[in-house]
């Protein structure tokens, strides 16, 4: 993400949350939008795919307390890309953001009382050094996105799965320097910062990756034959990743520091895993609760009785049906559902479905005929017609 994007994009608006939203509110808004615009749910919809990328980008910043703080501070200082003078400041300011963020190209002393330390204050925000710096900065490794498919039971109970990932990592042949002799020189264009100022009018500039060193801050005099001077090479690795219990379909899990390795001592990126959950032939899920439909006979529903109910991965349980249980009634078996974040479990929701036999023995038919004669005066639809007349 460029400096301009970081400052100008309103990530709060993208997620539809206020600027004082809590972490829980941000997470809830992201999950709702991610489900709605996920590419799997919008096959071939380019607009939905772009919207999903915007949502993911906004969550990556606002979902991380450190990044969110940096983002809020940058927006407060620069607004929508423009510098906001402090109270009582008259006239206008004409300066280069390259100076402010450590470009050092214009030289000179402090302006407006800011002094030379402001580049150091914001250096971490845009991966830049202080004003006038000539040393290259550590670079954070790239984030990696991957997907994994779990069975219904694995999603409920949690699972450790192998993930094979390909990413850019420091080239082994040149130790990540890009130079076959291991002696790259500092890029003279960006003075090792990896960034150059770009004029945007209005008397100030924004920063972009340096075109000469591609943002590395280093130039290889003798390019490495393996990585062609980039210092990066493709690598594949298999990692055992623990998926927590209770994950839902299309949930995106962030594993900090499990992405591609950084450069020059920089931290590794993050790994984002989108989880897909397969269906179960018996059980369903509703939030933290599991669901199951259990067939019962007419006599069990009418007279009451005890009914055995299966549970996911555990012994069956026995439910007592009260006499006169209607078809479609749902009963709750507490603590037999999905695992919540706090380690507790949801419930198992058991829905009763009265089973109508297709074939009857002679004895059973005689008994039902006798029942029909005994209840001949009853009309279960009487109230239905009365209500229809009064409507």
């Amino acid at each position: 993400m460029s400096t301009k994007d970081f400052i100008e994009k309103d990530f709060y608006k993208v997620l539809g949350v206020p600027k004082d939203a809590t972490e829980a509110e941000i997470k809830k808004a992201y999950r709702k939008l991610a489900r709605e615009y996920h590419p799997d749910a919008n096959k071939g919809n380019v607009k939905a795919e772009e919207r999903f990328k915007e949502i993911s980008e906004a969550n990556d910043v606002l979902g991380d307390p450190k990044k969110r703080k940096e983002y809020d501070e940058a927006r407060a200082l620069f607004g929508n890309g423009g510098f906001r003078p402090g109270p009582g400041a008259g006239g206008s300011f004409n300066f280069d953001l390259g100076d402010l963020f450590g470009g050092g190209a214009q030289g000179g002393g402090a302006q407006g009382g800011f002094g030379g330390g402001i580049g150091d204050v914001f250096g971490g925000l845009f991966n830049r050094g202080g004003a006038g710096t000539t040393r290259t900065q550590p670079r954070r490794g790239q984030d990696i996105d991957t997907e994994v498919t779990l069975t219904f039971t694995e999603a409920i109970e949690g699972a450790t799965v192998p993930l094979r990932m390909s990413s850019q990592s420091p080239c082994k042949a040149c130790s990540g320097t890009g130079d076959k002799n291991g002696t790259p020189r500092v890029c003279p264009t960006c003075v090792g910062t990896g960034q150059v100022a770009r004029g945007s009018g209005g008397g100030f500039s924004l920063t972009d990756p340096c075109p000469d060193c591609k943002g590395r801050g280093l130039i290889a005099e003798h390019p490495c034959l393996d990585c062609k001077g980039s210092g990066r090479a493709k690598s594949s690795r298999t990692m055992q990743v623990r998926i927590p219990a209770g994950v839902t379909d299309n949930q995106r899990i962030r594993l900090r520091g499990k992405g591609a390795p950084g450069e020059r001592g920089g931290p590794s990126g993050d790994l984002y895993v989108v989880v897909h959950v397969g269906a179960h032939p018996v059980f369903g899920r509703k939030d933290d609760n599991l669901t199951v439909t259990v067939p019962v006979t007419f006599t069990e529903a009418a007279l009451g009785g005890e009914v055995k109910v299966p549970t996911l991965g555990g012994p069956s349980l026995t439910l007592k049906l009260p006499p006169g249980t209607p078809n479609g009634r749902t009963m709750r078996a507490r603590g037999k559902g999905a695992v919540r974040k706090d380690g507790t479990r949801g419930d198992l929701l058991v829905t009763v479905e009265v089973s109508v036999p297709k074939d009857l023995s002679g004895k059973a038919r005689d008994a039902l005929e006798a029942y029909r004669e005994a209840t001949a005066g009853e009309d279960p639809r009487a109230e239905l017609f009365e209500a229809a007349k009064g409507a």
Side-chain angles (χ1 to χ4, degrees):
M1 187 190 307
S2 68
T3 302
K4 184 175 185 293
D5 286 343
F6 193 89
I7 294 175
E8 292 188 350
K9 286 187 177 181
D10 189 343
F11 293 135
Y12 292 101
K13 185 176 180 180
V14 172
L15 294 183
V17 296
K19 294 182 179 179
D20 58 352
T22 63
E23 289 186 31
E25 290 172 336
I26 290 174
K27 183 180 295 183
K28 181 178 180 181
Y30 165 71
R31 288 180 175 177
K32 179 181 178 182
L33 293 172
R35 284 195 297 268
E36 181 179 352
Y37 292 100
H38 194 279
D40 290 344
N42 298 273
K43 298 290 186 181
N45 190 331
V46 178
K47 290 185 178 180
E49 183 177 349
E50 291 300 321
R51 176 70 169 137
F52 182 76
K53 289 180 180 179
E54 291 179 355
I55 294 165
S56 299
E57 184 180 57
N59 181 67
D60 184 48
V61 174
L62 300 185
D64 184 322
K66 182 180 178 181
K67 288 184 181 179
R68 182 182 180 184
K69 182 174 182 293
E70 293 172 344
Y71 171 71
D72 288 341
E73 290 175 349
R75 294 271 296 179
L77 179 59
F78 295 102
N80 294 321
F83 180 73
R84 296 178 180 176
S92 61
F93 290 88
N94 184 23
F95 63 96
D96 190 328
L97 283 184
D99 296 336
L100 185 61
F101 291 110
Q106 303 298 326
Q111 293 188 29
F114 285 103
I118 193 71
D120 295 329
V121 173
F122 288 93
L125 184 60
F126 297 104
N127 293 323
R128 301 289 307 274
T133 182
T134 58
R135 67 183 181 87
T136 57
Q137 300 295 312
R139 293 184 69 192
R140 180 180 180 274
Q142 69 178 128
D143 295 335
I144 299 177
D145 290 285
T146 188
E147 298 181 358
V148 65
T149 299
L150 302 181
T151 66
F152 188 90
T153 302
E154 287 175 332
I156 298 299
E157 302 296 338
T160 299
V161 296
L163 292 180
R164 184 171 179 81
M165 296 168 293
S166 296
S167 64
Q168 294 286 330
S169 61
C171 175
K172 293 182 179 179
C174 63
S175 300
T177 63
D179 191 285
K180 66 180 182 181
N181 297 329
T183 56
R185 65 185 177 89
V186 174
C187 174
T189 303
C190 64
V191 202
T193 64
Q195 302 280 340
V196 292
R198 171 172 57 86
S200 62
F204 62 89
S205 299
L206 296 171
T207 56
D208 283 330
C210 176
D212 292 337
C213 66
K214 305 298 187 293
R216 296 188 66 235
L218 297 172
I219 291 180
E221 294 284 358
H222 309 284
C224 170
L225 299 179
D226 287 12
C227 67
K228 306 298 187 293
S230 68
R232 310 291 284 178
K234 276 192 174 182
S235 65
S236 296
R237 55 179 172 148
T238 299
M239 180 185 300
Q240 297 294 324
V241 175
R242 178 65 184 174
I243 306 297
V247 294
T248 57
D249 189 36
N250 289 327
Q251 182 174 342
R252 190 169 185 250
I253 300 173
R254 179 184 186 184
L255 301 175
R256 296 179 185 273
K258 299 299 183 180
E263 286 188 70
R264 300 187 291 277
S268 297
D270 298 331
L271 173 63
Y272 291 90
V273 183
V274 176
V275 180
H276 301 291
V277 181
H280 195 280
V282 174
F283 297 96
R285 183 170 181 178
K286 184 178 181 181
D287 298 327
D288 294 327
N289 301 320
L290 297 183
T291 62
V292 64
T293 299
V294 177
V296 298
T297 65
F298 171 75
T299 54
E300 287 173 327
L303 302 178
E306 294 185 345
V307 178
K308 282 190 175 182
V309 177
T311 62
L312 185 67
S316 61
L317 55 87
T318 301
L319 287 182
K320 289 186 177 181
L321 294 181
T325 298
N327 183 59
R329 179 177 178 180
T330 299
M331 293 176 287
R332 186 182 299 267
R334 299 193 179 279
K336 299 298 182 180
V339 179
R340 299 190 181 101
K341 290 184 177 180
D342 60 2
T344 62
R345 283 184 176 269
D347 303 328
L348 176 63
L349 305 180
V350 183
T351 299
V352 172
E353 183 179 78
V354 177
S355 177
V356 179
K358 294 180 179 180
D359 299 313
L360 291 173
S361 65
K363 185 176 180 180
R365 181 176 293 277
D366 291 341
L368 284 178
E369 290 289 352
Y371 173 77
R372 179 160 60 182
E373 292 179 6
T375 58
E378 299 178 7
D379 185 0
R381 293 171 291 280
E383 293 184 2
L384 176 67
F385 283 94
E386 287 296 328
K389 289 178 182 179

